[in-house]
Amino acid sequence: MNSRAPLVPVAVGLLLGVAAGLWSERWPPAAALALPLAASPPFAPLAFASAGWLAAVLARAPAASPPAEPVELEGVVVTVPSASAGRLRFTLRERGGALLDVAAPPIEWPLAAGDRIRFPARLWRPPGPRNPGATDQAARLAAVGVALQAEALLPPVRVAPPSPLAWLERGRERFAEAAVRLPEREAALVRAIGTGDRSALDAATNESFARSGLAHVLAVSGLHLVVVAAGLERLLRWAFLRVEPLAARVDVRRAAAAVTLPASIAYTVATGAGFPVVRAAVASTLLFAGTLLDREGSAANTLGLATLAMLGVEPGSLLDPSLQLSLASVAGLVALASPLRAALPFDRPPPGSWRARLAEPLVAGLCATVAASLATAPILALHFRRLPALGVLANVAGVPIGTGLTALTAAAAVLAAAWPPLAAPLLWLCRPLATALLWVSDTAAAPSFAVVGVASPGPLVAGLGCALALSLGRLRGPARWGAALGLAGCLALPGPVRAAAARERGQLELIAASVGQGDGAILRLPDGAVVLVDAGGTFPGGPDPGARDLVPLLRDLGVTRLAAVIVSHPHPDHTLGLAAVATAFPVEKLILGGGPPAGAVKEVLARLPAPVRLRHGEAWERAGVRFEAVGSDDPSLEENDASLVLRVEYGATALLFPGDVEERGEAAAIAAGGARLRADLVKVPHHGSRTSSGAAFVAAVSPRFAVVSVGASNRFGFPHPEPEARWRGAGAAWRRTDEGAVRFLSDGRSVREVPAAGALDPLALLAERREQEDAWRR
């Protein structure tokens, strides 16, 4: 490989072109004129940008309509299946050629890429973004050619002999069998690091590694492949040198590279073939090929060629966070590690000295960690809304342990694939390293300041932040300081800017969030303060809507504290999401309705301030908004009927939140003062059940908008047609959160619906005030 070849600008051109193609579905014919420019090195990046744009547009799956009834599917597994929550997820190419994202039960002999299978399944369209700023699963899958998802109704059946790769999957299972000799948490960790099998990791361990900044050690990535491939290559070179007849006849470097190259490919497939390890496999293949061909490579060009290979094969993979993090971290190492080391106020020690052997590796590791952290920070903010404050220190301590653990678990996995008991000695050596790594992660994750919550900057600002970070190694003087301040601004300013725009706009804003089968609504008051009305929740084992939906949305809105949390009644689907919310944000006030909390709900509410109960007619006010209890205080009401019926009044407008009241609760509220139930908008009680939204209650509220909070395809069949018909019959516009969050504004004179995505656009927030003022003038 010629180290002077312009692979880096060409790769950057392809990357930008693919990004443009993913952003826009249109391919301008004029751009095709740029393709011949690939023959001219100075203009090659422009040609590759055009090619990337075209490839991304052509690879996108067209919209498809799923059949209403289950169908019989037959096809070939085209990705390495991953296990989670007792299900396998993989991509299937069915007989007609379409790609499907499939979730299926495991089978006795493990599925692998290349297997031809058949099974009955239910198909549906992937969901779009649940809330403003949330992941658009439909767009991600469409970008890789997948238009529909499938749920297997029965375990798949092979219709052809198992793929040869099934033996690698069986080896992963045998390694899991061998790992049961270790304590449960250590066993899950060595399975994840050794073979990429994360199915046994509990939520606490995943959260610990995410908070500590060691998640890349937990997941099989380029680091693991480099450790395994480099370690194997050096071991083989050492062994070949000691076989004199072999050493005399062959170049041991080339012989070791020739054996290591296919072994690294096998390791990539055996550990799940995630994008980071595939990227490292491409890079290591180039390096070993360079050894075989006696050609010297450069780190920058190797990264560029790996980028070209991966995006050329699968342009839509650019939307995968793991690929983005992998490319950014390696680019950071290439661009920043050496300049950071050179900027330190002490020179490198002379070769062979004790400092060169002991201190310099630590210094170099620290510089590498800082370099990778700077480059990946905008991507972490974009997808995860938090930055590990202690990540650098945790990596300095944890990466050496993880490196040793990677080598041992890889060797143990090979032995376990042959016969699980063979791996026992190596697994016992793994145990102290696994325990030490868990301790490092838990210690770094424990402090409240271990994580800095930030708002997602959006793709464009995140891309700008990455570019500024990578430029720090080349810039000097004021330009470098300017780039550093720009990077800090990309990370720190999006949330505060959105919050300032909301304060400037004024008005009362309601976001009825999509939290699955539960309730969760965000009220942003005219002074910018935020009140949360219920927080969703699910029973243990299910997804946490607090962590999944509400915390990211609140951070994106620029929220740093909650003026109040109002709980309509202490049921799990209204309260358990508060655990994550209370961890992420200070809460000034808790207003609690319904009966006394118990069990898990009681534990969650104990983390918040002492609750305040509002009796009928009592109210709490802030920023001109009045929160009044308008339901009944009848002590005989229980469960759902005892819910707090809350009227939120701003000027001449009102919003009504009746919790989960049913027939008795609705009748009691009407008897207690039906006139106060009148509202411009109502959160439909009890998710639109048949036992709620009676005709008298609907007539008393008589809203312009009725918003029902439900989960997609929920097992209760909510909302039922009868309540929907009653609200529509009363003239209300019907909105449901399983189709995505809905958003409304009140200026005190009227309530209007506005686009949900505008909540994260400062310019749109400022324009909303002008639009309302213009409307009143007209």
Side-chain angles (χ1 to χ4, degrees):
M1 287 177 287
N2 184 351
S3 62
R4 293 175 295 176
L7 288 181
V8 171
V10 165
V12 171
L14 178 68
L15 188 150
L16 294 176
V18 168
L22 296 173
W23 189 278
S24 171
E25 296 183 6
R26 298 184 61 187
W27 164 252
L33 298 176
L35 295 178
L37 295 176
S40 173
F43 296 102
L46 179 60
F48 274 80
S50 299
W53 190 347
L54 175 61
V57 171
L58 294 179
R60 182 183 286 109
S65 298
E69 301 297 326
V71 296
E72 188 83 4
L73 292 177
E74 182 177 328
V76 177
V77 179
V78 296
T79 60
V80 177
S82 61
S84 178
R87 309 289 281 178
L88 295 176
R89 185 168 291 278
F90 54 89
T91 301
L92 181 83
R93 186 176 295 280
E94 55 95 23
R95 284 178 296 184
L99 293 174
L100 301 172
D101 179 54
V102 179
I107 61 177
E108 183 176 355
W109 190 261
L111 281 181
D115 278 336
R116 178 170 288 276
I117 56 176
R118 183 176 61 242
F119 55 91
R122 181 175 62 87
L123 275 63
W124 67 91
R125 288 193 187 95
R130 301 168 61 90
N131 295 294
T135 299
D136 188 342
Q137 189 176 4
R140 280 193 185 178
L141 289 175
V144 295
V146 175
L148 297 175
Q149 291 182 292
E151 175 76 20
L153 303 178
L154 293 173
V157 175
R158 281 190 174 88
V159 295
S163 161
L165 297 179
W167 288 97
L168 291 176
E169 296 298 318
R170 180 58 181 145
R172 297 174 78 182
E173 288 189 349
R174 287 180 171 174
F175 183 60
E177 295 169 10
V180 297
R181 294 173 172 81
L182 301 179
E184 184 176 359
R185 202 169 178 221
E186 281 82 352
L189 182 63
V190 300
R191 285 173 58 181
I193 291 179
T195 63
D197 176 10
R198 303 183 57 155
S199 59
L201 289 168
D202 58 29
T205 301
N206 279 313
E207 178 67 7
S208 171
F209 277 78
R211 287 177 60 87
S212 66
L214 289 171
H216 66 99
V217 178
L218 182 64
V220 174
S221 62
L223 169 69
H224 300 74
L225 185 134
V226 169
V227 169
V228 171
L232 178 61
E233 193 269 345
R234 291 184 181 182
L235 179 63
L236 289 172
R237 191 187 301 185
W238 175 86
F240 291 163
L241 282 171
R242 276 148 184 80
V243 182
E244 292 186 6
L246 182 63
R249 291 175 177 272
V250 302
D251 183 342
V252 295
R253 293 186 311 113
R254 293 183 178 181
V259 175
T260 305
L261 197 155
S264 64
I265 295 174
Y267 177 82
T268 300
V269 177
T271 54
F275 284 122
V277 72
V278 170
R279 188 269 311 155
V282 172
S284 64
T285 297
L286 294 172
L287 293 174
F288 291 133
T291 300
L292 291 172
L293 299 173
D294 199 22
R295 302 292 298 275
E296 181 182 357
S298 76
N301 280 352
T302 299
L303 175 62
L305 192 53
T307 304
L308 288 170
M310 296 190 67
L311 295 183
V313 172
E314 187 61 89
S317 64
L318 183 60
L319 294 180
D320 189 280
S322 62
L323 177 65
Q324 297 171 11
L325 288 169
S326 180
L327 294 179
S329 63
V330 178
L333 293 174
V334 172
L336 297 177
S338 293
L340 283 172
R341 177 63 186 88
L344 295 179
F346 49 88
D347 296 331
R348 298 179 188 272
S353 66
W354 70 267
R355 286 180 56 212
R357 295 174 180 174
L358 298 179
E360 186 60 23
L362 292 176
V363 173
L366 179 63
C367 292
T369 299
V370 172
S373 299
L374 288 172
T376 57
I379 299 174
L380 291 173
L382 173 66
H383 295 292
F384 306 110
R385 279 90 170 174
R386 57 185 183 181
L387 302 174
L390 302 178
V392 172
L393 296 177
N395 273 272
V396 169
V399 167
I401 300 172
T403 300
L405 191 57
T406 297
L408 284 174
T409 53
V414 172
L415 294 176
W419 188 42
L422 289 177
L426 288 178
L427 285 171
W428 283 113
L429 292 176
C430 290
R431 178 174 179 175
L433 292 177
T435 301
L437 185 58
L438 287 168
W439 180 85
V440 170
S441 179
D442 292 343
T443 301
S448 59
F449 57 83
V451 168
V452 178
V454 294
S456 174
L460 293 179
V461 176
L464 173 62
C466 286
L468 290 171
L470 295 175
S471 71
L472 294 174
R474 289 183 171 271
L475 300 176
R476 297 291 183 272
R480 175 181 285 181
W481 285 106
L485 289 174
L487 171 60
C490 290
L491 297 174
L493 292 181
V497 167
R498 293 168 189 152
R503 286 193 300 272
E504 178 65 23
R505 176 202 60 195
Q507 304 189 23
L508 173 65
E509 178 181 14
L510 163 65
I511 301 176
S514 180
V515 294
Q517 187 54 40
D519 271 15
I522 297 170
L523 288 167
R524 188 149 53 176
L525 309 187
D527 66 348
V530 171
V531 174
L532 183 64
V533 181
D534 291 332
T538 188
F539 292 97
D544 178 5
R548 180 192 62 191
D549 303 316
L550 292 177
V551 170
L553 178 53
L554 289 167
R555 281 182 172 154
D556 284 352
L557 292 172
V559 175
T560 56
R561 64 191 304 109
L562 292 172
V565 167
I566 301 175
V567 176
S568 62
H569 63 301
H571 278 186
D573 59 330
H574 292 248
T575 55
L576 292 186
L578 283 174
V581 172
T583 300
F585 305 100
V587 176
E588 297 176 10
K589 188 182 190 69
L590 170 63
I591 297 175
L592 178 62
V601 171
K602 184 176 182 180
E603 295 176 8
V604 169
L605 294 180
R607 306 180 192 183
L608 278 68
V612 174
R613 298 272 186 174
L614 293 181
R615 312 300 295 174
H616 176 78
E618 294 179 344
W620 170 69
E621 293 191 35
R622 172 147 184 177
V625 180
R626 177 181 172 85
F627 297 80
E628 180 185 358
V630 295
S632 171
D633 294 332
D634 185 349
S636 68
L637 296 175
E638 298 179 349
E639 298 292 334
N640 290 335
D641 286 318
S643 296
L644 172 67
V645 179
L646 182 73
R647 176 185 170 90
V648 180
E649 190 173 83
Y650 179 52
T653 64
L655 318 175
L656 190 70
F657 296 88
D660 277 356
V661 293
E662 299 179 77
E663 293 174 358
R664 286 195 65 209
E666 290 176 355
I670 294 171
R676 297 298 292 164
L677 297 177
R678 172 71 183 88
D680 298 273
L681 180 149
V682 64
K683 193 286 298 182
V684 174
H686 199 213
H687 318 287
S689 72
R690 286 193 180 95
T691 56
S692 64
S693 300
F697 186 78
V698 170
V701 179
S702 189
R704 288 183 55 214
F705 299 99
V707 179
V708 60
S709 186
V710 290
S713 303
N714 63 85
R715 61 190 177 94
F716 307 103
F718 294 156
H720 288 297
E722 298 92 326
E724 178 180 351
R726 285 193 286 270
W727 289 111
R728 287 184 182 275
W734 181 258
R735 301 290 183 265
R736 44 193 296 169
T737 60
D738 59 342
E739 298 172 350
V742 286
R743 178 169 163 257
F744 301 88
L745 283 178
S746 168
D747 63 350
R749 292 173 285 186
S750 68
V751 174
R752 70 188 192 279
E753 186 175 5
V754 290
L760 305 185
D761 184 346
L763 296 179
L765 293 174
L766 295 174
E768 286 168 350
R769 178 175 181 174
R770 293 193 298 270
E771 290 169 0
Q772 186 62 38
E773 290 174 349
D774 291 343
W776 281 109
R777 291 192 191 101
R778 292 194 295 268

